[in-house]
Amino acid sequence: MTVDEIKETYNMSDIVARYGFQPNRRGFISCPFHPGDRQASLKIHERDFYCHACGIGGDIFIFVEQMEDISFKEAFQVLGGTYEKPTFASRLTVYKSQKRREMLRKEQERLRGKKRLNCMLISIYRAYMERTEPFSDVWCDSYNALQYQLYVQAELNEIEARW
Ligand SMILES: [Zn+2]
């Protein structure tokens, strides 16, 4: 069980019952953490406890820790806690995310390649336009090609901005 599952499974009175305590009608037990508590000062709530005399309080894990004088980890195990080994499914997720990162990296590389080519084409078409008679056939073809490449560049920039 995980910490949350243990908390779901046991409430405070289940835990104190393990140690032989029976809360009175008002939900108090004699505090085992300070001597001579005839008044029953330790209040048992649903999920936690609090001693109105000595001030100790906490959840079920703290109660077990204090009763047995053990660490949280030990109390967790006493209450049926288990550390789960990573399952095949979670390893698969890790593998997938590695693969995804790899795919993304390749995609970015391809995009950079496209951008380089596109910049080259833009400068070639600009050079054509500078060297040819405005509105001649070659000039017009270069103009159209340039407009297309500028459009592609804007698209590529937008894709890059999304990453
Ligand atoms: Zn106390």
Side-chain angles (χ1 to χ4, degrees):
M1 284 194 286
T2 65
V3 169
D4 287 337
E5 282 166 352
I6 292 169
K7 285 185 172 181
E8 287 284 311
T9 307
Y10 304 113
N11 58 32
M12 222 33 247
S13 38
D14 296 327
I15 298 305
V16 299
R18 285 185 172 211
Y19 297 98
F21 294 105
Q22 183 67 50
N24 65 22
R25 275 181 298 139
R26 290 166 49 240
F28 284 87
I29 63 170
S30 287
C31 178
F33 308 118
H34 79 266
D37 186 29
R38 297 211 192 96
Q39 303 292 320
S41 311
L42 193 141
K43 172 81 175 175
I44 301 301
H45 299 281
E46 174 75 18
R47 297 280 155 217
D48 48 35
F49 68 94
Y50 179 73
C51 175
H52 292 271
C54 70
I56 194 169
D59 60 9
I60 55 174
F61 295 102
I62 305 246
F63 193 89
V64 173
E65 278 171 54
Q66 293 299 318
M67 283 304 288
E68 313 241 359
D69 194 21
I70 55 178
S71 68
F72 169 77
K73 193 179 168 183
E74 288 166 320
F76 173 68
Q77 282 163 344
V78 164
L79 290 170
T82 46
Y83 292 98
E84 280 171 27
K85 285 181 190 155
T87 59
F88 177 69
S90 66
R91 280 203 301 272
L92 196 68
T93 311
V94 171
Y95 169 73
K96 267 190 187 164
S97 69
Q98 273 170 354
K99 200 165 180 184
R100 239 186 80 77
R101 268 203 302 277
E102 180 65 19
M103 269 169 57
L104 200 64
R105 202 183 57 74
K106 278 187 180 155
E107 198 64 34
Q108 282 169 328
E109 219 166 73
R110 219 164 56 197
L111 184 76
R112 274 197 293 273
K114 271 188 189 170
K115 279 185 81 175
R116 267 197 302 275
L117 177 69
N118 197 61
C119 283
M120 212 168 73
L121 288 172
I122 286 170
S123 57
I124 288 170
Y125 294 136
R126 279 199 171 127
Y128 263 119
M129 285 175 68
E130 278 164 20
R131 271 186 247 134
T132 51
E133 186 69 23
F135 303 108
S136 66
D137 285 350
V138 175
W139 189 92
C140 286
D141 285 347
S142 301
Y143 178 84
N144 285 334
L146 178 66
Q147 294 313 306
Y148 173 72
Q149 294 306 329
L150 288 172
Y151 167 78
V152 170
Q153 192 182 45
E155 287 269 281
L156 291 174
N157 284 339
E158 202 173 300
I159 292 168
E160 197 178 44
R162 263 184 259 139
W163 277 333

